[in-house]
Amino acid sequence: MAEHHAASDGKHKASANAGGSVHGNSRPGAAGGGGGGGGGKGGLSGGLTQPAGWQSLLSFSILFLACLAGFSSRLFAVIRFESIIHEFDPWFNYRSTHHLTTNGFFEFLNWFDERAWYPLGRIVGGTVYPGLMVTAGLIHYVLNLLHITVHIRDVCVFLAPVFSGLTAISTFLLTRELWNQGAGLLAACFIAIVPGYISRSVAGSFDNEGIAIFALQFTYYLWVKSVKTGSVFWTIGCCLSYFYMVSAWGGYVFIINLIPLHVFVLLLMQRYSRRVYIAYSTFYIVGLILSMQIPFVGFQPIRTSEHMAAAGVFALLQAYAFLQYLKDRLTRQEFQTLFFLGVSLAAGVVFLTVIYLTYTGIYAKIHIPIIASVSEHQPTTWVSFFFDLHILVCTFPAGLWFCIKNINDERVFVALYAISAVYFAGVMVRLMLTLTPVVCMLSAVAFSSVFEHYMGDDTKREKPPAEDSSDEDDKRNSGNLYDKAGKVRKHVSEQEKAEEGLGPNVKSIVTMLMLMLLMMFAVHCTWVTSNAYSSPSVVLASYNHDGTRNILDDFREAYYWLRQNTDEHARVMSWWDYGYQIAGMANRTTLVDNNTWNNSHIALVGKAMSSNESAAYQIMRSLDVDYVLIIFGGVIGYSGDDINKFLWMVRIAEGEHPKDIRESDYFTPQGEFRVDKAGSPTLLNCLMYKMSYYRFGEMQLDFRTPPGFDRTRNAEIGNKDIKFKHLEEAFTSEHWLVRIYKVKNLDNREPLDHKLRSVVPKQKYTSKKVAGHILFCCFNQK
Amino acid sequence: THCSCILCGPTVTLAVVLVGVCLCTLLSEKVTQMMEWASKRSVIRMNGDKFRRFVKAPPRNYSMVIMFTALQPQRQCGVCRQADEEFQVLANSWRYSSAFTNKVFFASVDFDEGSDVFQMLNMNSAPTFLHFPSKGKPRRSDTYELQVRGFAAEQLARWVADRTDVQIRVIRPPNYAGPLLLGFLLAVIGGLAYLRRHNLEFLFNKNVWAFSALCFVLIMTSGQMWNHIRGPPYAHKNPSTGQVSYIHGSSQAQFVAETHIVLLFNAAVTMGMVLLCEAATSDMDIGKRKIMCVAGIGLVMLFFSWLLSIFRAKYHGYPYSFLMS
């Protein structure tokens, strides 16, 4: 953390120094490349010899330190445990990347995975966003080309931290375009350590989001740049970055809706310009064609409702541009204004309908059990906002306020970004991730404007004369309500007066307190990263009273057992959470996994788990199941086990088989879910219960508790005498966390009736019986 | 013997037919009566007599789903009213669906109109939902498990489908309040804009836009969406001590009051930041600006540390605090 403190100290200095000259940089774009350029140049050349050099060195080192802090604060898990892939989805990504590096790119695109979703299989190449795997594979290839031999696993583990450094840089660039360099540096420092982003990008969390946030921010940066300059060069860059984003994450839909929204609002505000026209037309066409190259996306961009807003705005923009063209030729302005109003109203209605449809679609999806069962798909409490963003969540509205007060084309964009992202984050916890970057940027704006006014020293009064000359430029523009190229500079010029007013004492107190807040933020981030977001969840750790640590490695122990002791083509049934891990670590065929594309298949597994043994046996026979794997936390008090997830299995099964499975059967008459004697008999005899608690009744964990005491649910189990007819215990891990059962083959047929055999030769006319016997033999041979 | 057989046969058949016809007419009479009632109101109201005649007494080829309730105001049964609404929704969905037949009827018995029915069925709680199958006696599962399944119309529909094989798609009457309110709001805005059509400057007022954007952001970050979806209580009153707690003890949940407090705190911190900047940039006299500056930093510090302390109380094991613990 030392680096970070250094970084946060340094950047304030930079923002104070930056004040004068950087504004000059941002102006030419905003003022349309007019006469303002001279002023900016003057500002730079005034301090070219020393301060500018210092400034860029300082900026560079701050940025570098921010990247370094971001990278190293994501390494808790690697240092505490080892270089290991985390959780569930990353295991699939890792397995695919491994496939890519061993078999080549085209083989990967055509990959049909027959080890998943038995007996259906899964077309991986066409149902996956390949950006992540290709990125990791490419890095691996380049490193090997340079004779730096690393295992692909290490590339995968460290990919997300490396990309978080890149995210910091792209956030810096974007914020610099929106406000100034000081704010950019602050934003880079914020995004490097903010928990809302770390939660998805710690080392080992090899998931799409890790690289997608970089792509998102970089696309936005290039978009803002192309709106500012109106050059096709930047727009093509934006399209390429968008293409990368599409290849990496389904969240690209956010971009393809936000950018049209930006253009639409700009049109409404009558801020239409050639720059906007060029930027959006190019972006839409090229971006559309590029995005359709991803097999998983295919023709969606011209079919589905969430892409229609972009098309609508494209049509609207063309109509608007045409009207503008006509306006120059014709004189009847009234008519044209009316026409414009009509067009924009119609487009607005279309736009709102599309948004509404999408919204209702999302809302309907929330109520399907399989989606509702995932904890990430829940709405967000204020606590999670505060937990993930800390001080930033309170201060970023201030940044939004400043942005709207000093509005220009690109600040419209950031305001829309903030408002839409905050809405989505409120609806779903996992979308906190898209909110985090904009919160960092706007908070940086807020802090930077405070520091700009309160950190300046007396030396600042010696301003380059160029600033004064450019003020005339402001006055010229001030007639126009919207163009606000000069507003920021006005702050600076007024700052001189302010410095005379608020004495140095007040200023330094304010600065100190603000720095203290930032320090608390850094401490909070480190604490959260270390405690909440750095657990691999494949390896668990428990702490004794004296602080020593126990590693519970049951998962890998069990998966390795499967790998070593079962047939290569054995089929393992488990709840879908563990599908990817079984495939990745045990290399065995699974029935369902975390790619929950087939609800009825999952419901079938849920039905097997929640039926009694003989009914379950029929299902398992029909699905060719060889082994059943369950997670049981009752011995060590692990709360994420299958009994705690069990009601979701029942619900999902009930959704497909309402005749056979009823949720109410698993509750007591009082409506409680209990595993002890008072529990419902259906629960106490279902397969999941029996598999979890088999032989558990004999086990006394503690002298104070009776045998068969479940530590997770704090209850003595109700069914201690569990016998299996069709299953047998195959493996139980050290802490009983993973239990594996073998599904027995069908019993042998009843032994042949000896009497019949002995009788047969005695009879003289036996044609019928012999015939029957032969027939039976044939049948048996079959 | 032959003769008598020939004679007897028709008589017996006739008798059977007569009885059958009689029963049939009785049955068809009952069904037409029920259909007539059902056409008037989708939930048929019954008293003791009607209940005995149409539900208890054979013959009957239709299933009855009956809600036993106590809707009179003096009974003060709030749950009954809510359950009644849901039951009405279900009955209406059935009554106006294209699949409507005389297989199932919905009825209700109010305690104050048919207390004898309650006694007859040995019932002492309301609301209760019972199903009377067309054939045979009611079984245990013909009593709806209200405690477990709740009284949402969808749950009731599943139960009815389970018991009678009649699938009812619950169609809730669309709630016009939201669109109406929106329409009203739009009309007001449109009217205002029309009245002031020569002076539309207020549309270009950045303060208005900034203020509304801030309101939206603050509403979202204080977890109002969670409240909207989950519907938590406003605050919790401890029944034994009478103490009202506004803050939920767990970090997984929240009360409505709590989110309002958080909203205010966030707004205060934001305002503090804005004041700090205003103090430095505005052209008021120095005294006022100093006051603004001190007020700003005070707001930021005070409310942030307060927020931190609330967070700490909710998130157990969080070690840091500032100014107040």
Side-chain angles (χ1 to χ4, degrees), chain A residues 378-379 382-383 385-387 394 396-398 405 419 453-454 482 494 498 506 513-514 516 523-524 527 654, chain B residues 158 204 206-207 214 217 221 226 230 254 258 262 270 276 280-281 289 293 301 311 314 317-320 322:
Chain A
Q378 311 294 332
W382 76 266
V383 174
F385 275 110
F386 191 87
F387 187 71
C394 322
F396 96 97
K405 289 284 276 182
I419 289 169
H453 299 310
Y454 286 87
Y482 282 147
E494 273 168 339
V506 178
L513 287 174
M514 284 288 154
M516 219 153 112
V523 170
H524 171 89
W527 185 83
E654 188 187 8
Chain B
R158 280 165 90 177
F204 305 122
K206 287 173 200 157
N207 282 333
L214 246 59
V217 164
T221 53
W226 195 91
R230 290 294 158 80
Q254 58 190 11
E258 177 183 341
V262 169
T270 303
L276 275 177
T281 55
R289 284 192 0 223
C293 173
M301 286 298 145
F311 173 76
K314 279 175 76 86
Y318 184 73
Y320 306 114
F322 182 61

Side-chain angles (χ1 to χ4, degrees), chain B residues 158-186:
Chain B
R158 280 165 90 177
W159 172 66
V160 170
D162 188 39
R163 301 313 312 159
T164 64
D165 284 328
V166 171
Q167 301 286 344
I168 304 177
R169 225 179 109 230
V170 174
I171 299 161
R172 287 175 185 279
N175 190 359
Y176 294 110
L180 267 184
L181 204 71
L182 197 73
F184 179 71
L185 215 76
L186 282 180

